[in-house]
């Protein structure tokens, strides 16, 4: 059997790419994104092909660089290959330098805005998947992010949902809060009876 693939030569890292294909289109066939030179059965992401639907969608890895699209049949044979370049992506965050503990901070962001991407607040030394609180970016230009209840130095991060890669980070000082109560010293009224 033979197959062909048509796709752009380059697309942003982490983006979904529509691949036009021709081939057997048998259940179990798929379009894979693989590292160049890797074994035929190795893939990073893939999208299933459907009979009578000449296009499939695959998601590129979040790390820039050269990759290979492959039409793979259900037996694991590669029937077609095509090079594709994942181009760099960036993100930025806009937020105050400090905020009261337990408050909600409006965080402005720019970035790819992929499904599953989120803004988190976390202790600085923690990994990309760790968080105290988070909000998905979705289609909003800002997110309301709840600050930790404990004061200290934290990081606000733009995190890619696909592999928890951190695209942007900014330090924020979470400041202590206090409260006071004022009440009469004693009451001469009797409790409810």
């Amino acid at each position: 059997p033979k197959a062909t693939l048509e796709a752009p030569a380059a697309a942003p890292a982490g983006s979904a790419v529509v691949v036009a294909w021709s081939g057997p289109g048998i259940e179990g066939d798929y379009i894979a994104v693989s590292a160049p030179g890797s074994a035929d059965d190795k893939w990073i992401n893939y999208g299933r092909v459907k009979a009578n639907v000449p296009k499939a969608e695959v998601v590129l890895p979040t790390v820039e660089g050269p990759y290979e699209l492959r039409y793979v049949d259900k037996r694991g044979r590669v029937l077609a290959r095509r090079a594709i370049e994942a181009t760099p992506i960036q993100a930025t965050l806009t937020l105050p330098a400090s905020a009261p503990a337990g408050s909600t901070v409006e965080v402005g962001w720019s970035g790819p805005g992929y499904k599953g991407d989120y803004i988190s607040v976390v202790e600085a030394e923690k990994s990309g998947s760790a968080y105290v609180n988070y909000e998905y970016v979705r289609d909003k230009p800002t997110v309301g992010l709840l600050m930790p209840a404990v004061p200290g130095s934290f990081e606000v991060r733009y995190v890619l949902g696909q592999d928890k890669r951190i695209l942007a980070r900014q330090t924020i000082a979470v400041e202590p809060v206090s409260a006071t109560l004022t009440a009469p010293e004693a009451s001469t009224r009797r409790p409810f009876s």
Side-chain angles (χ1 to χ4, degrees):
K2 293 184 179 180
T4 63
L5 297 172
E6 290 183 28
S15 66
V17 175
V18 175
V19 180
W21 62 271
S22 69
I26 298 170
E27 186 175 344
D29 291 3
Y30 58 95
I31 308 296
V33 179
S34 302
S38 63
D40 287 354
D41 63 345
K42 299 294 183 198
W43 49 265
I44 300 166
N45 289 326
Y46 71 93
R48 294 272 182 207
V49 300
K50 296 178 184 172
N52 303 319
V53 181
K55 294 182 180 179
E57 186 176 272
V58 293
V59 177
L60 292 179
T62 64
V63 178
E64 63 192 71
Y67 293 95
E68 187 174 75
L69 298 172
R70 299 173 178 174
Y71 186 108
V72 184
D73 73 7
K74 68 178 185 176
R75 294 181 180 166
R77 296 177 298 182
V78 176
L79 304 183
R81 300 172 192 268
R82 180 182 178 91
I84 189 166
E85 182 81 18
T87 58
I89 53 175
Q90 297 179 35
T92 62
L93 297 169
T94 306
L95 60 140
S98 63
S103 66
T104 298
V105 172
E106 286 298 314
V107 179
W109 64 274
S110 69
Y114 298 143
K115 182 178 179 180
D117 289 4
Y118 58 92
I119 308 291
S120 67
V121 60
V122 65
E123 295 91 347
E125 68 279 357
K126 299 289 185 177
S127 70
S129 60
Y131 61 86
V132 175
N133 290 312
Y134 71 94
E135 287 292 329
Y136 290 109
V137 295
R138 296 189 176 92
D139 294 329
K140 305 174 285 186
T142 63
V143 297
L145 186 62
L146 181 64
M147 293 293 105
V150 178
S153 181
F154 290 85
E155 266 188 0
V156 173
R157 299 172 174 174
Y158 184 108
V159 183
L160 292 169
Q162 182 181 160
D163 60 3
K164 308 303 183 249
R165 180 176 163 215
I166 301 167
L167 271 193
R169 58 179 85 209
Q170 186 172 326
T171 302
I172 187 166
V174 175
E175 299 174 337
V177 292
S178 61
T180 58
L181 293 173
T182 305
E185 288 186 24
S187 174
T188 56
R189 298 178 70 183
R190 295 182 64 187
F192 296 109
S193 53

